[in-house]
Amino acid sequence: MEQKERYVDVRDTRLFVVERGTGFPLVVLHGGPGLDHHEFADYLDPLTDHYRLVLVDQRAQGRSDEAPPETWTIKQMAADVNALGDALGYGPYAVLGHSYGGFVALQHAVDFTGEPAGTIVSCGLPSARFLDGVTDALAAFEPVELRQQVAASWEAEEGVETPEDVKKLLDDQMPFHFADPRDPRISDYAARTSQMEPAPDVLRHFATRAYGGIEVEAALPTVAHPVLVLAGRHDRAIPVEGAHAIADGIPGSELMIFEHSAHVPFAEEQDRYLEVVRDFLDRVRR
């Protein structure tokens, strides 16, 4: 598989990009905030038989250059996607954003409607109001010892200082993000994403600001290109109701619920996830 790494200017900073494969480009936006492109490990790599994965370390994260904290916003990161598309000169491209990256992808779809050939919002939300239920989900989370572990890690996000701090929090939270909190694939996921270079400053920044405060619900009807919405039925962090709101709001959009997944369907139901994404991309590129 062909792979290339490079830095790309997006006006006021540079983003680190890893390109895998050749063909129609799919710009891939990681979650967090404060993570990097290693979040996806090699789970999406089977798509490289026909598609070019453009795995992006978003603004001030991963190996991307530093940028002023006042620019660490969902809206600016959505503008970065557009600038990246222009700079790479690909022509038509699609965007896939997961979790926080899904917020950015959806903001990009609203602010630059018609610019991407298609947008895939994976475990994303149209409004921060949908995060209100996370506290209740955590209060009901079993087993109790893991509930305490997850709760403590979330409380610690506002004080993270080092990349190792972030990795520890991510490890502690992963049982909450799998449908089965004791899924043996959790350790496999940790091993496959071990090269991640988290950005503690970015996580700390967003942890005190409602994780970016996504708010595009009223603008969804203006989106004028194909959109695929993906969600895990058992997602405790990003409730499935948010996915329904996106699909209901965007004319002609498609919704796929992964019945055996929580927040990591690309790992929990990898084959089905790839099948759905591939089908959408096949239609978009035509």
Side-chain angles (χ1 to χ4, degrees):
M1 176 181 61
E2 180 179 333
Q3 174 164 311
K4 177 167 57 175
E5 300 179 357
R6 57 170 150 168
Y7 283 90
V8 180
D9 286 310
V10 288
R11 302 186 179 94
D12 64 323
T13 190
R14 295 189 308 165
L15 303 183
F16 180 74
V17 172
V18 175
E19 297 170 278
R20 295 179 187 160
T22 59
F24 184 87
L26 176 64
V27 176
V28 182
L29 307 174
H30 62 79
L35 304 184
D36 70 11
H37 73 277
H38 290 99
E39 176 187 39
F40 296 98
D42 57 355
Y43 290 100
L44 302 182
D45 284 3
L47 294 172
T48 60
D49 58 355
H50 290 96
Y51 295 97
R52 183 195 306 264
L53 297 181
V54 185
L55 297 147
V56 183
D57 284 355
Q58 296 188 73
R59 175 174 290 255
Q61 297 165 77
R63 290 171 60 185
S64 289
D65 287 352
E66 295 182 1
E70 59 267 23
T71 70
W72 300 352
T73 66
I74 292 174
K75 200 167 184 67
Q76 179 58 62
M77 292 182 196
D80 289 346
V81 175
N82 212 56
L84 181 68
D86 290 343
L88 293 175
Y90 287 144
Y93 63 93
V95 178
L96 184 157
H98 179 75
S99 192
Y100 175 81
F103 300 177
V104 176
L106 188 58
Q107 185 78 55
H108 178 257
V110 167
D111 290 350
F112 300 93
T113 186
E115 186 70 26
T119 296
I120 303 171
V121 180
S122 175
C123 299
L125 292 173
S127 171
R129 70 183 180 88
F130 289 99
L131 294 173
D132 293 344
V134 176
T135 301
D136 292 339
L138 183 55
F141 182 54
E142 299 287 349
V144 172
E145 62 271 20
L146 289 181
R147 180 194 310 165
Q148 296 168 340
Q149 170 183 302
V150 173
S153 70
W154 243 311
E155 291 173 1
E157 287 187 350
E158 296 182 13
V160 290
E161 294 291 342
T162 69
E164 289 69 29
D165 290 341
V166 181
K167 287 184 177 182
K168 176 64 164 59
L169 296 185
L170 185 62
D171 287 344
D172 287 347
Q173 290 174 12
M174 285 314 296
F176 191 72
H177 293 318
F178 274 69
D180 175 3
R182 298 204 183 277
D183 194 319
R185 292 172 298 182
I186 293 175
S187 58
D188 178 60
Y189 179 81
R192 291 164 76 165
T193 59
S194 61
Q195 295 183 60
M196 189 179 294
E197 300 180 29
D201 293 350
V202 174
L203 174 57
R204 194 170 61 246
H205 174 89
F206 280 100
T208 61
R209 293 167 174 80
Y211 300 97
I214 180 71
E215 191 52 68
V216 296
E217 201 166 4
L220 294 178
T222 67
V223 177
H225 62 264
V227 174
L228 172 64
V229 185
L230 308 177
R233 176 68 69 190
H234 307 286
D235 198 331
R236 305 174 184 93
I238 303 292
V240 71
E241 290 78 12
H244 283 284
I246 298 171
D248 290 345
I250 299 177
S253 61
E254 304 172 35
L255 174 63
M256 174 64 192
I257 307 296
F258 294 90
E259 298 294 339
H260 306 291
S261 294
H263 192 59
V264 201
F266 61 84
E268 295 173 277
E269 295 182 64
Q270 182 188 12
D271 290 345
R272 180 61 177 149
Y273 190 94
L274 293 172
E275 178 185 3
V276 172
V277 169
R278 185 187 298 277
D279 175 69
F280 178 75
L281 293 176
D282 286 349
R283 288 181 283 118
V284 161
R285 70 172 180 169
R286 287 197 295 266

